[in-house]
Amino acid sequence: MPAATARVLPTADAVPPAERLLPEGFTPAARRALAKKDPTLGALMKQVGPFRMKVNSIQSPFLALAESIVYQQLTGKAAATIFGRVCERVGKGRRFTPEAVLAHPVEGLREAGLSGAKTAALRDLATKALEGEVPTLARARRMSDTELVEHLTKVRGIGQWTVEMLLMFRLGRPDVLPVDDYGIRKGFMRTYGLEELPRPKELLAYGERWRPWRSVASWYLWRSLELSNDPASPGGGRA
């Protein structure tokens, strides 16, 4: 693994508060702080250019996770078609509620194109939402990243990676590092000149120096794959 480069930042170049959401909270001071802590990442940021991560607003974590369940292991077009059919049956926008999902017959969800596993996952999501495990948007904004991962991964079919994508691209959390993401690991391998993919634990340990802007570092690692036209950029490739 690359050697650590610990430096003390001058007061005039202090890192912005970690609670500042992305992308609005990402300032030149944050970029300078990352570059000083990690010159190799700084060189990558300079090569890639400005930070352009897009955060898509959501009406509720429940709706966002329901969409994630439908999209799993499908192409975007096919998933969008199926999710549209599900919404036509259950309700669109604010009418897509846990109560509406559970009230709809299982056969109807299957007819919309959901597999048996996804139907079970969607219904479990609705049940967990009614039990309070899936928070409202207002409550989610008050919860820490760790709390959200702990609560949401209790849902059938929702793993840590899915929650991390929600945190980054829907809630705009600035300090998320998806260490199990293949694109992140491959981007790190290429950026730091490694011969093999880093283990998640190694990447997590190295990424400590990127706090409180690990989401920014992640975005640049995804973008590093585009420099060589590498298609292997799951998750970050859509942002």
Side-chain angles (χ1 to χ4, degrees):
M1 298 296 291
T5 56
R7 300 189 183 185
V8 178
L9 301 181
T11 304
D13 203 26
V15 180
E19 62 267 19
R20 297 276 296 276
L21 301 182
L22 296 174
E24 291 80 4
F26 181 64
T27 65
R31 180 167 175 163
R32 288 193 296 269
L34 281 169
K36 288 180 178 179
K37 290 181 178 180
D38 189 344
T40 302
L41 179 64
L44 173 63
M45 291 191 294
K46 184 176 182 179
Q47 187 177 10
V48 171
F51 181 68
R52 300 183 302 275
M53 192 179 107
K54 296 179 181 179
V55 176
N56 299 314
S57 62
I58 58 174
Q59 293 181 1
S60 70
F62 170 74
L63 181 57
L65 290 171
E67 185 176 3
S68 295
I69 288 172
V70 174
Y71 271 67
Q72 288 173 357
Q73 300 177 328
L74 290 175
T75 63
K77 184 176 181 180
T81 298
I82 293 174
F83 188 63
R85 292 173 183 164
V86 172
C87 290
E88 288 175 357
R89 288 165 169 77
V90 174
K92 298 181 179 180
R94 296 186 182 280
R95 292 186 291 114
F96 194 100
T97 64
E99 293 87 350
V101 168
L102 293 175
H104 196 79
V106 170
E107 294 76 12
L109 296 175
R110 294 298 306 277
E111 289 173 359
L114 291 183
S115 65
K118 289 186 179 182
T119 298
L122 183 60
R123 290 179 60 82
D124 188 56
L125 174 68
T127 299
K128 293 290 197 306
L130 293 178
E131 293 174 349
E133 292 292 348
V134 181
T136 63
L137 181 57
R139 182 181 163 211
R141 286 172 173 162
R142 297 192 299 269
M143 297 173 69
S144 69
D145 296 353
T146 301
E147 288 173 326
L148 284 168
V149 170
E150 179 181 350
H151 278 263
L152 299 181
T153 52
K154 293 178 182 178
V155 178
R156 178 173 180 170
I158 299 295
Q160 182 162 327
W161 183 87
T162 299
V163 182
E164 289 168 339
M165 296 303 103
L166 175 76
L167 289 169
M168 290 179 67
F169 297 112
R170 309 304 288 271
L171 296 176
R173 296 295 176 90
D175 196 34
V176 180
L177 178 57
V179 296
D180 293 314
D181 186 281
Y182 177 75
I184 292 288
R185 296 169 66 203
K186 189 168 185 179
F188 187 90
M189 180 184 74
R190 290 192 171 185
T191 300
Y192 293 86
L194 304 181
E195 295 183 355
E196 58 184 18
L197 295 175
R199 296 183 179 89
K201 288 185 178 180
E202 294 174 331
L203 183 53
L204 184 65
Y206 186 88
E208 283 297 309
R209 73 203 63 199
W210 300 331
R211 287 183 183 274
W213 297 102
R214 292 183 298 171
S215 296
V216 176
S218 297
W219 185 86
Y220 276 101
L221 290 176
W222 275 316
R223 301 283 78 74
S224 72
L225 299 178
E226 297 174 355
L227 297 176
S228 58
N229 297 318
D230 194 314
S233 181
R238 64 184 178 185

